[in-house]
Amino acid sequence: MDKERKLIIAGNWKCNKTVAEALDLVTGLKRELAAVKEVDVVVCPPFTALESVSRAILDSNIRLGAQNFGENGYGAFTGEIAAGMLKEFSVGYVILGHSERRQYQKENDALIAKKAAAAHAANLVPIVCVGETLLEREAGITNQVVETQVRGSLAGLSPEQVERTVLAYEPVWAIGTGKTATSAQAQEVHAFIRGVLTALHGEAVAKRVRIQYGGSVKANNARELLGQPDIDGALVGGAALEVRSFADIIKNSI
Ligand code: 13P
């Protein structure tokens, strides 16, 4: 697949995998994906497996991401993980504003924007998630919701920082449900998001931002989704937990 932007496919392991299971999974991925150069491959294990996974992928083309971090850095913030702690394990990416955190931890756009700025300051690439619920889609307000999230979550970032940010469009109704947005539905929102980025920072910046799709991405729908002009990768949940399915998503997208 020949695209203007390099594809980025990330596995969001969510709250899954012991250290031993994590090592099994990355060892298999390393073997399967050793020859892949066309796609940026990222795995995002839970915090507890970052150190071992980081060692296991040292000599590979797989990069490491975290699923969240504490935007205030080191200090009296019980339960938080600072960016500096992630950097110790060569973490390069951090998922921010996932709909599960928006829902269960009540994260909002203002907090996500603060985290995105702190991530850039620490040289971590934020993967900022946006997406509408089923109710919002049925009410015909998908674009409105997504625009508010994009503008709010990127507020205060410089054009250079926005350019290095990865966005992930994840319709909430497609996450873990087996219901994927059709490639046309996804492309429509991705193009809309790129339009919002153009309005914010101009076409040159908007053209460089990679926008992933997430929500029930599997080996059998990856090619069609990633073949769309404004879809630049995938954020994969369930199918990223097994070597075969995650490796096949990547191979099928090349
Ligand atoms: P599923 O691939 O399990 O639908 O999860 C998508 C997701 O939330 C990735 O962040």
Side-chain angles (χ1 to χ4, degrees), residues 8 93 125-128 162 164-168 209-212:
I8 175 164
Y93 297 83
V125 173
I127 299 178
V128 173
V162 169
R164 277 187 287 118
T165 301
V166 175
L167 285 173
V209 178
R210 294 186 289 180
I211 310 174
Q212 298 175 314

Side-chain angles (χ1 to χ4, degrees), residues 25 51-52 56 74 83 92-93 110 141 183 195 198 224 238 248 251-252:
L25 177 50
E51 180 174 11
S52 3
Y74 294 102
Y93 297 83
I141 57 169
S183 52
T198 305
E224 163 85 19
D248 281 350
K251 289 178 181 170
N252 289 352

Side-chain angles (χ1 to χ4, degrees), residues 5 8 43 56 63 83 85 104 121 123 185 230:
R5 295 164 290 270
I8 175 164
V43 292
R63 296 286 167 265
M85 298 168 180
Y104 304 128
N123 230 351
Q185 278 173 325
D230 287 292

Side-chain angles (χ1 to χ4, degrees), residues 12 14 98 100 170 174-176 215-217 235-238:
N12 174 10
K14 306 190 180 183
H98 191 279
E100 287 148 16
E170 298 206 314
I175 295 177
S216 299
V217 175
L235 186 54
V236 185

Side-chain angles (χ1 to χ4, degrees), residues 10-14 95 98-100 129 168 170-172 174-179 213-218 234-241 249:
N12 174 10
W13 296 4
K14 306 190 180 183
I95 299 172
H98 191 279
S99 61
E100 287 148 16
C129 306
E170 298 206 314
V172 179
I175 295 177
T177 57
K179 283 187 202 153
Y213 170 79
S216 299
V217 175
K218 309 284 177 216
L235 186 54
V236 185
L241 297 175
I249 287 173

Side-chain angles (χ1 to χ4, degrees), residues 99 102-103 130-142 145-146 149 169-174:
S99 61
R102 290 178 186 264
Q103 184 182 351
V130 299
E132 82 288 1
T133 63
L134 186 58
L135 273 180
E136 290 164 340
R137 175 160 283 264
E138 285 173 352
I141 57 169
T142 296
V145 168
V146 168
Q149 291 175 336
Y169 168 58
E170 298 206 314
V172 179
W173 49 270

Side-chain angles (χ1 to χ4, degrees), residues 4 27 49 51 57 81 83 90 106 122 145 194:
E4 203 172 340
T27 306
E51 180 174 11
I57 60 177
I81 304 281
S90 308
K106 307 290 174 232
V145 168
R194 207 173 300 285

Side-chain angles (χ1 to χ4, degrees), residues 36-59:
V36 172
K37 290 185 187 61
E38 303 86 340
V39 179
D40 287 333
V41 178
V42 182
V43 292
C44 305
F47 290 125
T48 46
L50 285 175
E51 180 174 11
S52 3
V53 170
S54 150
R55 284 184 213 280
I57 60 177
L58 259 185
D59 54 344

